Amino acid sequence: MVEVPPVTLLIKPVSGLCNLRCKYCFYADVMEQREMFSYGKMDLETLELLVQNALEYAEDFVSFGFQGGEPTLAGLDFYEHLVAFERKYNTKGVKIQNSIQTNGYAIDKDWAQFLHDHQFLAGLSMDGTAEIHDSLRLDVAGNPTYQKAAQAAELFEEYKVEYNILCVVTNFTARYPRRVFSNLKPRRFLQFIPCLDSFDGEREKYSLAPKRYGEFLKQTFDEYYRCLMQGEYVSVRNFDNYIQMLLGNAPENCAMNGKCASYFLIEGDGSVFPCDFYVLDQWKMGNIKENSFQQLYLSETAAVFRKSSEPVHDKCQVCKWYPLCRGGCRRDREPFVHGKPGLNRLCESYLEFFPYAYPKMERIAKMLK
């Protein structure tokens, strides 16, 4: 009998289709690397099969997360069908979590009301300040989009939608850590995500320099700590995870586990992959129209993907910060060397950050105990 872990689904209902043209978009690079550039929009038959199979497979919990591209382009009725299918097939009383990652461009009152009524967690992309955001996050006509994102945030506040902010840290963002934190902290729940370069490693003007990212981490952590000590807690996902790890808990962020667990990334046609960073031909696990979730999880492709992330770099094995760093996300350890993950591209950043922040992290952990 195979033990069924909590089921985490990351679904691309319109594949990479998007109404923005962000200059640093990692998924645009992913699509260029595979034979099928776009898998198209998911039809309702595929959505229903996906929900049915997931709820039959899950024992206690299933997470349906939607991203893109831009998942709102599937249309509000797509998600109305989703919740109807969930009601229809959840015969075991499995706990369901729905979430959506959006650029906010299409969010209006109808969307906000729906997300509130059905308890969706929304992730809203907003890169710190209007100036930074509008330098890299443009719509298809080349127009700035910060105001659209800010309006979406206000609608989320008005309609009491649970949401967090996802801020991509580029070299531009990292120049202004305190300004970025100050501008975003009223949103209360923040994620700072280091910008990725393309698979070929080509550097761009916005590419993140390790030294600069280290300074960004130090200064934003200072702000996080100051807010906490003043009784105005602002959640920052990676910092929260470090504190939880010091308390003996497992990180909830898969990138901080030190090895891959292979969740189910589902493209528009039902094709399944182990991770949204690796929606590539070589990592296709199967298709929900042909394979059960148990078959997908036990597939050779999934097993190889998980196994290939396990080797620990020689430098990590003797590093005092490895128990907290754990080598980082597999994608940050590309390219592989002799079939094994390389050193994290941001190792220098963390070697600067951890000695600086650890005493305060320890203080927070003791306070929480």
Side-chain angles (χ1 to χ4, degrees), residues 228-279:
L228 183 62
M229 293 299 108
Q230 293 177 352
E232 51 171 343
Y233 169 63
V234 177
S235 171
V236 178
R237 188 184 187 192
N238 57 334
F239 300 154
D240 287 350
N241 270 265
Y242 292 138
I243 303 304
Q244 287 302 312
M245 291 162 77
L246 286 177
L247 290 170
N249 301 318
E252 54 76 29
N253 184 350
C254 71
M256 302 173 80
N257 273 318
K259 57 183 179 181
C260 299
S262 84
Y263 52 80
F264 303 106
L265 184 291
I266 303 169
E267 259 286 2
D269 70 337
S271 295
V272 183
F273 302 82
C275 172
D276 62 326
F277 291 142
Y278 292 93
V279 189

Side-chain angles (χ1 to χ4, degrees), residues 44 61 66 70 114 121-122 125 157 175 198 205 226 266 333 336 355:
L44 294 180
F61 174 83
F66 294 86
E70 173 50 40
F114 173 85
L121 171 64
S125 294
E157 294 282 350
R175 292 175 184 169
S198 60
K205 289 181 179 179
R226 182 181 61 79
I266 303 169
R333 292 182 284 159
F336 277 35

Side-chain angles (χ1 to χ4, degrees), residues 18 203 237 288 361:
C18 192
R203 304 282 291 175
R237 188 184 187 192
I288 58 165
M361 286 185 189

Side-chain angles (χ1 to χ4, degrees), residues 31-291:
M31 292 192 295
E32 293 284 356
Q33 306 296 321
R34 64 195 189 199
E35 187 174 333
M36 181 76 73
F37 180 77
S38 172
Y39 287 92
K41 179 181 176 180
M42 183 175 289
D43 57 41
L44 294 180
E45 291 78 10
T46 304
L47 177 65
E48 182 171 12
L49 181 64
L50 164 60
V51 173
Q52 181 181 7
N53 289 354
L55 289 171
E56 286 178 357
Y57 176 65
E59 293 183 351
D60 300 308
F61 174 83
V62 60
S63 170
F64 295 95
F66 294 86
Q67 65 167 46
E70 173 50 40
T72 59
L73 294 179
L76 188 53
D77 62 328
F78 179 89
Y79 297 94
E80 290 170 340
H81 280 95
L82 166 75
V83 295
F85 294 147
E86 290 173 346
R87 286 193 295 267
K88 178 179 178 180
Y89 292 109
N90 192 14
T91 57
K92 295 187 292 185
V94 172
K95 183 179 179 182
I96 295 174
Q97 180 186 66
N98 290 314
S99 61
I100 188 168
Q101 170 60 35
T102 178
N103 56 38
Y105 199 84
I107 297 297
D108 58 15
K109 292 182 178 182
D110 290 339
W111 271 104
Q113 187 69 64
F114 173 85
L115 296 174
H116 168 267
D117 291 349
H118 298 284
Q119 299 179 308
F120 272 67
L121 171 64
L124 177 64
S125 294
M126 183 181 284
D127 282 359
T129 69
E131 181 182 11
I132 296 168
H133 183 107
D134 288 339
S135 68
L136 294 169
R137 298 184 63 84
L138 306 173
D139 67 16
V140 293
N143 298 314
T145 63
Y146 180 83
Q147 283 306 315
K148 289 279 191 181
Q151 288 166 16
E154 294 310 311
L155 282 169
F156 289 162
E157 294 282 350
E158 180 183 349
Y159 284 83
K160 295 180 171 54
V161 176
E162 187 179 354
Y163 76 103
N164 53 49
I165 296 295
L166 275 70
C167 173
V168 175
V169 184
T170 63
N171 224 33
F172 303 149
T173 323
R175 292 175 184 169
Y176 309 103
R178 296 184 190 277
R179 192 186 306 176
V180 166
F181 188 95
S182 177
N183 199 53
L184 294 180
K185 79 173 183 178
R187 307 301 176 189
R188 301 180 302 282
F189 295 92
L190 314 179
Q191 293 185 49
F192 293 118
I193 303 170
C195 179
L196 284 173
D197 290 330
S198 60
F199 274 105
D200 62 14
E202 185 176 346
R203 304 282 291 175
E204 303 286 351
K205 289 181 179 179
Y206 54 76
S207 292
L208 189 57
K211 185 73 174 176
R212 183 160 282 168
Y213 185 53
E215 192 61 34
F216 178 88
L217 287 172
K218 286 159 58 177
Q219 292 193 36
T220 51
F221 182 82
D222 281 345
E223 294 300 305
Y224 168 85
Y225 181 78
R226 182 181 61 79
C227 287
L228 183 62
M229 293 299 108
Q230 293 177 352
E232 51 171 343
Y233 169 63
V234 177
S235 171
V236 178
R237 188 184 187 192
N238 57 334
F239 300 154
D240 287 350
N241 270 265
Y242 292 138
I243 303 304
Q244 287 302 312
M245 291 162 77
L246 286 177
L247 290 170
N249 301 318
E252 54 76 29
N253 184 350
C254 71
M256 302 173 80
N257 273 318
K259 57 183 179 181
C260 299
S262 84
Y263 52 80
F264 303 106
L265 184 291
I266 303 169
E267 259 286 2
D269 70 337
S271 295
V272 183
F273 302 82
C275 172
D276 62 326
F277 291 142
Y278 292 93
V279 189
L280 303 168
D281 298 333
Q282 72 191 89
W283 295 118
K284 183 175 176 179
M285 297 154 60
N287 192 296
I288 58 165
K289 298 173 184 176
E290 302 161 0
N291 309 104

